Amino acid sequence: LVRTMHGLGEVYRTTVFAKLVSLALLKFTLLDPLGMGIEMEAGKPGWYDALNGLPGLFGSSLCETYELERLLVFLLDAWTENEVKVVELPVEQNILFQEAHLALSDWKASSDTHRDFYLWDAIASARETYRDRVRLGFDGQTIMLSYDELTPILTSFLGKVRTGIQRAVQMNDGIPPTYFAYTVEDYDLVMSSDGQTQYDEQDRPYVQVKNFKPLVLPMFLEGPVHALKVSTDIGSSRDLYTKIKKTDLYDHKLRMYKVNAPLINQTHEIGRARAFTPGWLENESIWLHMEYKYLLEVLRAGLYDEFYTDFQSAGIPFQDPSVYGRSPLENSSFLVSSAHPDESLHGAGFVARLSGATAEFLSMCNVMMAGNQPLYIQDVKLCLDQSPPHPGGLFDGDGKITFTFLGHTQITYHNPSKSDTWKIGGGSDRFVVLHLPNKEEIKLSHSIINSPYAEMVRTGRVDAIDVFL
C-alpha cells in the first residue's frame, strides 16, 4: 500500500491517508476498559461469529488491537515514505482526536489505580458525542493537520495500544489471548434532577458503571495469527510457535491446530460455539480456514522448517482419503478433532466448500513459489528477488521445479542437490537467465533481478526465467 500511495498524485495520497487516519482514530476510541481489546459494539464478534453472545457481555477482541497496531505503524511510516505534508480531516474528527489525546495525556500523568477506567470512560463519552454530532453527516468544514501536529498523537496512540497488548499477553501466561468479556463490578443508579431513579421505556433503571472486571476466554487460534503478523523478528515468532504447540490448541493425535481450546467451563452466554460437541463444527474442531491462516503466518514469519513439517500433516493434499472421507483435492469447512467423543470421526472433513481456506492455500502457494515479497523497491527502483523457500522434496527427479509468475512468466528453479533452498547460501555459482520474446537471453550473476529487468518481468516482457541454485 505504501508503494501504491507513492505512485498516486499528492491529492489522492492525502485523501487515502486521511481515510486511514480516520479509521485508526475510531478504532482507538473503541479500546475496552483495560485498553486490551477492541469492543464488539456492532453485535458481531468479528471473524469467529460462533461467539455471537460475546458482544452482549461487553466483549472485546485482541485481534483487532493487533491490526490497529499495524495500521498505526503504517501511518507513521507513510508520513516519510510518501512525503505526505498535511492531512485534511473533518472538524468533527479533529475534535475527537484532540479529546482522545487529552484523555490519554491525563492517563499518562495519573497514578490512580482506576486510571484505565477513567480513560475508557472519557474516550467512550467523546466517541458517543462525536457520533451524535455526525449522525446526519458532516457539516463540511475541514482542518489541515501537519506532520508535527498529528505524529505525536498517533505515536501516543501506538504506545497505548502496545501497552494494552502487553498487558493481555501477561494475563495469559505469555501467549496472546483472543477474546475478553467484562462484568460490571460497581455502578451508580442514574438519578434525575429531583432525585428519582431514571428508567427506560421497558422500566429498566439507567446505571453509571464505575468499574469492570475482565474475563480472559480460553485460547483461540485467531489471536496468535494476528500476533505473528506484527512480530518483528524470527526469534519471537519461533518462541510463540513453540508455545502454541504446547497448548490445547494443538491436536497431538492429528498433528493439526484446533480453532479453540476447550470451552467446557464457559457459560452458554458466550454464543453458539459453547453448544456444539467438542471437536465438532465451531467448537474445538480443526476449522480449516483458521488453521490455514495460522500456517500462512508461520510461513510468512520465516519458520520454514516448522511450516513444512506442519504442512505435511495439516495440509489437505496430504490427508488419507480413507480418514478424511473425501478427495484430498477438496477442502472442508472443518475436520473433526480428537476432542470429539466418537474416535471414528477423528480427522474426517465435513461441509465441502470453496471457502476462505482456498484463499489462504493460494497465498501459501504464492509464498512457497515466489517468496514473501518478490517485488520490492530499493533506491527508488523495482527489484525482483528470486530466492523463495522451496523444500528439497518439492523438486522433481532432475532437481527442477517450475511455476508461472504473475500469470505470464514461467520460472524454473534448478537445484541439483535437492536441498531446502533457504539453507543454500548465495554462492558465486548462483545465477539467473532471462528469456525474452525475441529469443534473447540475459544472464545475471545473482538471484536479485534489478531494474530495468524487474519492470520487464512485471509487465510481461520476459517469457521465462531460469534460476540456478
Side-chain angles (χ1 to χ4, degrees):
L1 184 55
V2 171
R3 293 195 300 275
T4 301
M5 288 176 62
H6 188 80
L8 297 173
E10 183 176 351
V11 173
Y12 294 102
R13 284 204 307 268
T14 305
T15 302
V16 172
F17 192 82
K19 290 182 177 181
L20 294 176
V21 167
S22 301
L23 177 61
L25 168 63
L26 296 175
K27 286 295 184 181
F28 181 81
T29 64
L30 282 167
L31 284 172
D32 65 23
L34 286 181
M36 298 188 297
I38 300 293
E39 292 181 354
M40 301 174 182
E41 58 162 12
K44 294 288 186 180
W47 180 87
Y48 204 82
D49 51 50
L51 292 177
N52 52 319
L54 200 54
L57 302 176
F58 299 102
S60 64
S61 168
L62 192 65
C63 304
E64 284 73 24
T65 314
Y66 278 119
E67 295 306 316
L68 177 56
E69 179 187 6
R70 293 179 68 204
L71 176 57
L72 288 168
V73 169
F74 165 78
L75 289 173
L76 290 168
D77 289 344
W79 272 115
T80 303
E81 293 195 32
N82 290 282
E83 300 178 351
V84 177
K85 304 300 183 184
V86 294
V87 59
E88 184 179 10
L89 294 177
V91 293
E92 296 90 344
Q93 286 187 354
N94 179 57
I95 292 173
L96 181 59
F97 247 124
Q98 303 306 326
E99 290 178 339
H101 189 218
L102 177 61
L104 189 54
S105 298
D106 292 340
W107 173 82
K108 290 180 180 178
S110 175
S111 59
D112 194 303
T113 55
H114 295 291
R115 66 173 188 155
D116 289 303
F117 175 81
Y118 297 145
L119 173 63
W120 169 85
D121 192 36
I123 291 181
S125 297
R127 181 187 71 233
E128 294 307 317
T129 301
Y130 162 81
R131 286 177 172 170
D132 184 62
R133 185 180 294 128
V134 303
R135 184 173 63 88
L136 298 178
F138 297 101
D139 68 9
Q141 297 184 49
T142 61
I143 187 171
M144 294 290 188
L145 294 178
S146 68
Y147 173 88
D148 292 334
E149 292 173 309
L150 195 56
T151 297
I153 301 178
L154 294 178
T155 301
S156 65
F157 283 5
L158 179 59
K160 182 64 174 73
V161 166
R162 285 175 169 169
T163 298
I165 291 174
Q166 184 179 16
R167 166 183 278 174
V169 173
Q170 290 174 345
M171 289 178 62
N172 202 47
D173 298 325
I175 299 177
T178 302
Y179 298 111
F180 311 95
Y182 284 85
T183 56
V184 176
E185 280 199 314
D186 192 13
Y187 64 90
D188 287 331
L189 294 173
V190 177
M191 313 298 286
S192 62
S193 57
D194 59 358
Q196 300 296 315
T197 302
Q198 292 188 343
Y199 295 88
D200 67 5
E201 295 82 357
Q202 299 179 10
D203 203 33
R204 297 173 299 191
Y206 287 108
V207 299
Q208 178 71 44
V209 177
K210 298 171 64 177
N211 192 33
F212 285 101
K213 179 182 179 181
L215 168 68
V216 181
L217 267 66
M219 283 187 294
F220 290 75
L221 192 57
E222 189 179 0
V225 166
H226 290 269
L228 285 172
K229 287 185 178 183
V230 300
S231 180
T232 56
D233 65 274
I234 193 170
S236 59
S237 298
R238 180 169 284 114
D239 180 61
L240 176 56
Y241 171 88
T242 302
K243 288 179 179 177
I244 295 300
K245 265 285 182 63
K246 298 177 182 178
T247 69
D248 289 330
L249 291 174
Y250 186 65
D251 190 320
H252 289 274
K253 177 180 178 180
L254 300 179
R255 294 186 296 155
M256 294 180 173
Y257 294 89
K258 297 185 291 184
V259 69
N260 62 269
L263 301 176
I264 190 65
N265 294 323
Q266 300 300 305
T267 172
H268 282 268
E269 288 183 308
I270 65 174
R272 68 174 184 266
R274 177 63 179 83
F276 294 124
T277 302
W280 181 259
L281 271 172
E282 293 156 304
N283 180 14
E284 220 178 331
S285 70
I286 311 297
W287 198 265
L288 190 59
H289 187 193
M290 184 51 64
E291 182 182 49
Y292 272 8
K293 278 179 176 290
Y294 178 71
L295 292 177
L296 174 60
E297 294 309 322
V298 170
L299 176 61
R300 284 175 170 167
L303 304 179
Y304 303 133
D305 288 304
E306 292 84 350
F307 168 78
Y308 285 111
T309 297
D310 282 342
F311 196 54
Q312 291 285 335
S313 58
I316 297 304
F318 304 102
Q319 300 305 305
D320 181 349
S322 65
V323 176
Y324 184 51
R326 59 182 74 250
S327 168
L329 299 177
E330 184 177 78
N331 277 344
S332 295
S333 182
F334 72 95
L335 284 72
V336 180
S337 76
S338 62
H340 196 277
D342 187 348
E343 294 186 9
S344 67
L345 294 177
H346 294 176
F350 286 84
V351 192
R353 64 193 297 190
L354 185 66
S355 69
T358 305
E360 310 302 344
F361 186 87
L362 291 173
S363 295
M364 285 188 280
C365 287
N366 284 336
V367 177
M368 284 190 283
M369 292 295 99
N372 211 10
Q373 189 176 0
L375 290 165
Y376 63 96
I377 299 292
Q378 187 174 37
D379 298 328
V380 202
K381 293 183 179 180
L382 186 68
C383 299
L384 173 59
D385 187 358
Q386 289 296 290
S387 54
H390 298 322
L394 206 60
F395 291 87
D396 64 15
D398 297 324
K400 295 191 297 184
I401 183 173
T402 300
F403 77 105
T404 302
F405 183 58
L406 300 181
H408 49 63
T409 301
Q410 180 176 285
I411 300 181
T412 300
Y413 288 89
H414 301 261
N415 180 12
S417 66
K418 299 182 185 178
S419 302
D420 297 333
T421 59
W422 63 92
K423 298 176 182 177
I424 301 176
S428 59
D429 55 343
R430 178 183 293 225
F431 63 95
V432 174
V433 178
L434 307 181
H435 302 272
L436 306 186
N438 61 3
K439 307 303 180 182
E440 179 185 358
E441 294 185 356
I442 299 174
K443 183 177 179 180
L444 305 175
S445 59
H446 43 74
S447 59
I448 304 297
I449 300 175
N450 297 313
S451 181
Y453 305 115
E455 289 91 339
M456 294 172 61
V457 175
R458 188 175 63 177
T459 55
R461 290 179 289 155
V462 176
D463 287 342
I465 301 174
D466 281 295
V467 181
F468 295 86
L469 304 180

